[in-house]
Amino acid sequence: MNYELASFLIPWGVILYTSAGGLKATFLASYFHTMIIFAVLITMITVVYIKVYSSNMIYAFLDRTISYTPEQCEAIYSTDEGTSFFLNSDGDKTMACGPVDGNSQGSYLTMLSADGLMFGIINIGTFFQWRLVKNNASHLIFFPAVGNFGTVFVDQSYWQSAIAARPSSAAKGYLLGGICWFAIPFSLATSLGLASTALMLPINSGEAGSGLVPPAVADHLLGDAGAVLILIMLFMAIVSTGSAESIAVSSLIAYDIYREYFNPEATGKQILWVSRIVIVCFGIFMGLFSIALNAMGLNLGWVYLFMGVVIGSAVIPLWNMMTWDKASGKGAVIAAWSGFVLAIIGWLVAAQIQSGSISVSTLGANEVMLSGNLIAILSSGLIHYVYSKFVDPQDYDFSTLDSNIHLVEEDMRGLGPEEQDKDELRRAKRWITRRGYLLTFVLILVWPILSIPAQIFTESYFAFWVLVSIAWGFGAAITISLLPLFESQTEIGRVFSGMWNYVTGKSGDAQEYAEEEPPAKTVDEPEVAAEPAKDEAAKDEETA
């Protein structure tokens, strides 16, 4: 398929249902998209470790992969005419064959990886990923991430979804959603990622950097059906993300720019009109930007690492603005932009120092990306602290925040007593804070540290690792599919009730028609219920 055409087909698919249905359509579509993604996920896990191979077989294949010498690797990865494509023009490996530089004993089956650790610092989050790094060798690595820190803190779609949900639901939903999401990189890495190296498929570093490892392995195992499944999975993920980002951008422009500076008295209808225009424009921009990135030769892996350089500088200033009453708003803006400029400068200088030139390839090196990411997040934090502490200290009263939130047309739908209960909000905050820090501690520190003593995984240790990834994948799929249905059973019942009423030509709630009406009273029936009421009234009079 033509790349330019595909770049616009996906945004236009997003535009259609997002502009028509808004945030509700995004939530509903995301649920179905997620179900499909997890269905493909558990299919791939089952095929790799249950139907076709086993953990012991994958372990043996990975052990064999590092045993080959450079000469043997060149012979394996060569054409029928005898031309080898194992090394590129610079003499670097392009295929996963032979020992891994920087890994303990050159093995793939270890958590002790220099490049893995470096990639981990770039990506402060809580997940596993299969990744081809500079020496084109796959590592099973655990990483926390500056880039992913930024995508959560700076992404309006996360804030918008949290605000739209009930406080208790948002706290529990985000924590549970994060745990379930962990299965996607973890389980896919353990299945398709490891299989690509274990089977020594001819996937070069450029193809891996473009995200072609999963479809290549799926095609190898299941033929065209496997490639189609991965394509569907990818499409669901892109459409879901694109829809959320379209709503986020349209909300920022409609509420924070149009309503704030151009039309403070804007009605809901006017804001909706502006939002739809922005969704269309942003969809066109997504398509054009995708084409531009491809024309510049920037693949998925490069953009992923560069993400922290661009947005990492906003993380700490934003955190301070939410939690520190002395934080300066002006200082946050200055710190974010200053950190961005310093990160770009440090990133370019690091590439020049390391390689003697600045190019797409040298700028994408792990060490160079690490420099830019760290400068972004640390410099902005330092600048904001100094500015807030010594230049423009504030004393903000967070209790006044509600008074500065102005609803459109004073629409209070969805804001019941529970949503406005400050005690409930404090309980939700305390609940998520404790569990969030605990989960972060376990995933970032405890899990990797417990894996370090193992050094090179034994066959039984690796089998346990695989078992955990399978259990996590299936558990997440069940939770993410059934729990929303259980929690929304009342709302779902109302929807079907309305549909039934429409079909039968009735109005109101269908439950009303399911109840039998009490028989009408006759004049001969005694007023049994009235006597006690009279007695009570008489007693009240006597007491008075």
Side-chain angles (χ1 to χ4, degrees):
M1 174 179 278
N2 182 274
Y3 182 86
E4 287 76 13
L5 178 61
S7 297
F8 277 101
L9 284 177
I10 292 176
W12 277 108
V14 171
I15 288 171
L16 291 176
Y17 77 82
T18 305
S19 60
L23 190 60
K24 290 182 179 179
T26 299
F27 283 166
L28 185 61
S30 294
Y31 169 71
F32 287 109
H33 294 165
T34 304
M35 285 185 61
I36 295 172
I37 290 172
F38 274 95
V40 177
L41 170 71
I42 61 178
T43 299
M44 295 304 163
I45 297 173
T46 303
V47 169
V48 172
Y49 284 109
I50 299 176
K51 185 176 184 296
V52 180
Y53 302 106
S54 65
S55 63
N56 291 346
M57 294 175 67
I58 296 295
Y59 181 90
F61 292 158
L62 289 171
D63 220 18
R64 182 191 62 187
T65 300
I66 65 170
S67 66
Y68 292 113
T69 63
E71 292 75 20
Q72 291 174 317
C73 291
E74 289 186 22
I76 293 172
Y77 293 107
S78 60
T79 62
D80 295 336
E81 291 76 22
T83 304
S84 176
F85 50 89
F86 174 65
L87 301 177
N88 60 18
S89 57
D90 297 327
D92 296 327
K93 292 195 300 183
T94 61
M95 301 292 174
C97 181
V100 184
D101 296 334
N103 280 23
S104 178
Q105 300 180 32
S107 176
Y108 294 99
L109 298 161
T110 182
M111 292 289 284
L112 299 175
S113 169
D115 283 315
L117 177 62
M118 194 179 306
F119 186 72
I121 297 173
I122 298 174
N123 295 275
I124 298 206
T126 49
F127 48 93
F128 288 79
Q129 178 164 322
W130 190 252
R131 164 82 182 153
L132 262 82
V133 291
K134 187 184 74 170
N135 63 358
N136 306 313
S138 300
H139 301 273
L140 185 63
I141 60 175
F142 180 91
F143 54 90
V146 173
N148 290 296
F149 225 157
T151 57
V152 174
F153 270 80
V154 186
D155 192 341
Q156 169 68 9
S157 65
Y158 284 91
W159 298 98
Q160 189 165 272
S161 299
I163 293 170
R166 293 187 297 268
S168 58
S169 298
K172 296 175 183 177
Y174 268 76
L175 187 67
L176 188 59
I179 294 173
C180 290
W181 174 88
F182 181 88
I184 295 177
F186 178 34
S187 300
L188 275 182
T190 307
S191 54
L192 298 182
L194 287 172
S196 68
T197 302
L199 301 176
M200 299 183 68
L201 299 181
I203 306 171
N204 62 40
S205 58
E207 294 168 336
S210 298
L212 297 178
V213 170
V217 179
D219 180 73
H220 177 80
L221 296 175
L222 298 173
D224 292 341
V228 170
L229 285 175
I230 295 297
L231 178 62
I232 293 173
M233 184 183 195
L234 181 62
F235 181 79
M236 293 295 102
I238 293 175
V239 169
S240 182
T241 302
S243 175
E245 296 305 324
S246 297
I247 288 290
V249 172
S250 67
S251 297
L252 283 174
I253 294 178
Y255 287 92
D256 295 346
I257 297 179
Y258 171 71
R259 183 171 178 244
E260 184 70 21
Y261 299 106
F262 294 95
N263 189 1
E265 303 300 324
T267 63
K269 186 176 181 179
Q270 290 173 319
I271 290 177
L272 180 61
W273 181 77
V274 172
S275 297
R276 286 175 172 169
I277 292 178
V278 173
I279 288 173
V280 174
C281 294
F282 183 69
I284 296 173
F285 168 76
M286 283 195 293
L288 293 174
F289 191 57
S290 174
I291 294 173
L293 290 176
N294 183 64
M296 289 186 287
L298 307 181
N299 61 32
L300 181 64
W302 196 99
V303 174
Y304 179 76
L305 292 176
F306 180 60
M307 193 167 52
V309 179
V310 177
I311 62 179
S313 59
V315 172
I316 295 181
L318 184 56
W319 174 284
N320 289 341
M321 292 299 295
M322 293 188 300
T323 59
W324 186 26
D325 58 357
K326 303 293 191 250
S328 167
K330 185 187 297 184
V333 175
I334 293 174
W337 282 105
S338 300
F340 168 70
V341 172
L342 291 174
I344 294 295
I345 294 174
W347 177 56
L348 295 173
V349 170
Q352 181 67 37
I353 292 174
Q354 185 188 54
S355 306
S357 63
I358 296 178
S359 65
V360 171
S361 177
T362 59
L363 289 172
N366 269 9
E367 297 84 355
V368 176
M369 287 292 189
L370 175 63
S371 301
N373 275 261
L374 288 179
I375 292 173
I377 195 168
L378 296 178
S379 65
S380 63
L382 178 62
I383 292 170
H384 191 216
Y385 175 80
V386 172
Y387 196 95
S388 299
K389 191 73 174 177
F390 303 105
V391 180
D392 184 30
Q394 301 292 311
D395 190 16
Y396 184 75
D397 183 5
F398 283 98
S399 63
T400 64
L401 184 62
D402 285 352
S403 61
N404 294 319
I405 299 176
H406 305 290
L407 300 178
V408 177
E409 298 178 347
E410 297 302 320
D411 188 352
M412 297 292 289
R413 287 178 298 175
L415 292 175
E418 180 184 350
E419 285 72 25
Q420 302 179 63
D421 186 353
K422 296 188 183 300
D423 291 333
E424 177 65 25
L425 292 173
R426 279 192 290 268
R427 282 193 292 268
K429 178 185 176 182
R430 186 167 56 249
W431 189 94
I432 189 63
T433 300
R434 293 174 178 175
R435 289 159 180 79
Y437 279 120
L438 176 62
L439 182 63
T440 301
F441 176 73
V442 171
L443 293 178
I444 290 182
L445 294 176
V446 176
W447 192 337
I449 289 174
L450 290 178
S451 300
I452 289 176
Q455 297 191 11
I456 307 302
F457 291 1
T458 63
E459 194 172 89
S460 58
Y461 192 101
F462 179 69
F464 175 72
W465 182 286
V466 171
L467 177 63
V468 172
S469 72
I470 293 175
W472 206 306
F474 275 86
I478 294 172
T479 302
I480 212 74
S481 301
L482 300 183
L483 188 58
L485 297 178
F486 175 78
E487 289 190 333
S488 304
Q489 54 184 316
T490 303
E491 289 78 6
I492 294 173
R494 289 175 182 170
V495 171
F496 282 106
S497 171
M499 293 171 62
W500 174 254
N501 289 345
Y502 180 80
V503 172
T504 57
K506 298 177 180 178
S507 60
D509 195 332
Q511 294 178 354
E512 298 175 3
Y513 302 100
E515 299 177 359
E516 295 184 2
E517 296 183 3
K521 291 184 179 181
T522 64
V523 293
D524 297 330
E525 291 180 353
E527 296 288 342
V528 178
E531 295 299 327
K534 290 180 180 179
D535 292 342
E536 292 294 332
K539 289 179 180 179
D540 291 340
E541 290 179 2
E542 292 175 1
T543 303

